[in-house]
């Protein structure tokens, strides 16, 4: 007899325990039972092969997921996702007995501030509870040279500017200290306006020179807008740490703001 091909949409034909059709196409045979059985076995073998390959793929994915989860036992996939967020690597320590936490710029944090520049040397500072890292925008005052920004809704704001010393001189080299860049007056005259948004002449209330681990820091206090600055140089960059506050925040949190400013170190 002739063999007919019938288009099906959802039905299935079972014979001798085998599926003889798919959801789209099935062959109805008017020939002998043995021919129909052989056809069903062939279809079933193909389907079994597809299912086995699919099961192997699923098993492989499950194995990779298990390895990744084992590598990050506490946070699992959340840690993996966090690791993919360029430039936003957390660097705060747990609070100490006084509730203060230390931030250290993570080695894995992105941002080189220009092609050809060496990696940014890590820096540290301390903040009390309530201060948290906030996103940095290239539209911020200081532009792409702002490396970090923190804020507290109660006490004020802070940010770190990492600028090339080439802005001062092309002959300073790649191992610069703050004294090579210039005097305290020269540094604040050059970078004060970038921090405050206006000329700082006559607004510098105090200037100090501090030394920590052989590195010197120029420290400033400016009047309205209230700013505390700590500046040093390392490698081929100038580091400017600025803490700002409005009048009310300045009066209520001056001691904490001062402690934050003087805690800045380039390591």
């Amino acid at each position: 007899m002739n063999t007919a091909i019938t288009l099906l949409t959802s039905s299935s034909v079972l014979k001798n325990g085998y599926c003889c059709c798919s959801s789209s196409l099935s062959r109805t045979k008017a020939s002998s039972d043995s021919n129909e059985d052989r056809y069903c076995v062939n279809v079933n073998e193909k389907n079994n092969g597809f299912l086995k390959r699919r099961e192997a793929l699923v098993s492989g994915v499950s194995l990779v997921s298990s390895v990744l989860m084992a590598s990050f036992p506490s946070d699992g996939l959340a840690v993996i996702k966090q690791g993919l967020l360029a430039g936003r690597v957390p660097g705060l320590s747990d609070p100490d007995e006084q509730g203060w936490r230390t931030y250290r710029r993570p080695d894995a944090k992105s941002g080189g501030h220009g092609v050809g520049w060496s990696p940014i040397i890590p820096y540290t500072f301390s903040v009390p509870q309530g201060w948290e890292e906030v996103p940095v925008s290239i539209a911020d005052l200081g532009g792409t040279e702002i490396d970090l920004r923190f804020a507290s809704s109660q006490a004020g704001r802070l940010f770190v500017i990492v600028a090339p010393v080439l802005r001062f001189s092309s002959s300073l080299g790649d191992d610069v200290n703050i004294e090579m860049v210039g005097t305290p007056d020269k540094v604040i005259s050059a970078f004060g306006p970038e921090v405050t948004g206006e000329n700082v002449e006559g607004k510098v209330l105090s200037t100090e020179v501090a030394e920590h681990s052989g590195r010197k820091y120029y420290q400033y206090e400016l009047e309205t807008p209230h700013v505390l600055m700590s500046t040093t140089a390392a490698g081929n960059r100038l580091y400017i740490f600025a803490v700002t506050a409005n009048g009310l925040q300045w009066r209520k949190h001056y001691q904490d703001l001062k402690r934050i400013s003087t805690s800045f170190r380039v390591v």
Side-chain angles (χ1 to χ4, degrees):
M1 293 184 179
N2 295 329
T3 300
I5 297 177
T6 304
L7 182 65
L8 301 179
T9 57
S10 60
S11 61
S12 298
V13 178
L14 294 176
K15 183 174 181 63
N16 296 331
Y18 297 104
C19 176
C20 298
C21 68
S22 66
S23 61
S24 60
L25 192 62
S26 176
R27 178 172 295 183
T28 304
K29 301 164 62 75
S31 60
S32 65
D33 290 343
S34 60
N35 289 337
E36 184 174 355
D37 288 342
R38 283 196 299 273
Y39 176 72
C40 291
V41 170
N42 289 337
V43 173
N44 187 70
E45 288 176 349
K46 291 180 181 179
N47 289 340
N48 281 345
F50 171 77
L51 291 175
K52 288 178 180 178
R53 290 194 298 272
R54 185 183 181 202
E55 289 172 358
L57 178 59
V58 172
S59 298
V61 173
S62 298
L63 177 60
V64 172
S65 298
S66 298
V67 172
L68 291 176
M69 291 294 289
S71 301
F72 302 92
S74 60
D75 297 308
L77 295 178
V79 174
I80 300 173
K81 181 178 179 181
Q82 183 182 49
L84 299 176
L85 298 177
R88 294 298 307 280
V89 182
L92 275 174
S93 69
D94 292 331
D96 61 16
E97 294 179 354
Q98 297 179 330
W100 284 66
R101 298 184 294 172
T102 298
Y103 176 89
R104 183 187 188 279
R105 189 185 196 277
D107 295 331
K109 181 178 178 180
S110 64
H113 299 288
V115 176
W117 287 95
S118 59
I120 293 177
I121 299 174
Y123 51 80
T124 68
F125 59 88
S126 297
V127 291
Q129 294 281 31
W131 287 77
E132 300 290 344
E133 184 177 357
V134 296
V136 173
S137 168
I138 60 174
D140 284 338
L141 188 65
T144 58
E145 292 178 350
I146 289 189
D147 187 63
L148 180 75
R149 186 178 287 281
F150 265 62
S152 164
S153 59
Q154 302 297 320
R157 299 175 294 118
L158 69 81
F159 53 91
V160 181
I161 294 176
V162 183
V165 295
L166 288 173
R167 290 178 56 174
F168 284 88
S169 172
S170 60
S171 61
L172 290 176
D174 292 328
D175 188 16
V176 179
N177 60 57
I178 191 66
E179 293 173 301
M180 295 169 62
V181 174
T183 64
D185 288 342
K186 179 180 178 180
V187 171
I188 192 63
S189 296
F191 282 94
E194 294 193 24
V195 174
T196 65
E198 56 187 55
N199 194 307
V200 297
E201 185 177 356
K203 295 186 176 182
V204 180
L205 298 178
S206 66
T207 301
E208 298 179 7
V209 179
E211 184 172 341
H212 303 284
S213 301
R215 192 185 305 280
K216 288 188 177 181
Y217 297 77
Y218 295 164
Q219 298 174 342
Y220 309 91
E221 181 173 330
L222 287 74
E223 61 180 353
T224 308
H226 300 287
V227 179
L228 293 165
M229 289 176 56
S230 183
T231 307
T232 192
N236 52 15
R237 294 183 174 89
L238 186 72
Y239 292 75
I240 301 173
F241 183 72
V243 182
T244 69
N246 60 37
L248 178 61
Q249 293 169 336
W250 188 261
R251 290 191 297 272
K252 292 183 63 176
H253 302 282
Y254 175 80
Q255 294 302 323
D256 282 350
L257 298 173
K258 184 72 172 179
R259 178 176 170 179
I260 294 171
S261 177
T262 57
S263 71
F264 181 71
R265 305 282 188 276
V266 174
V267 298

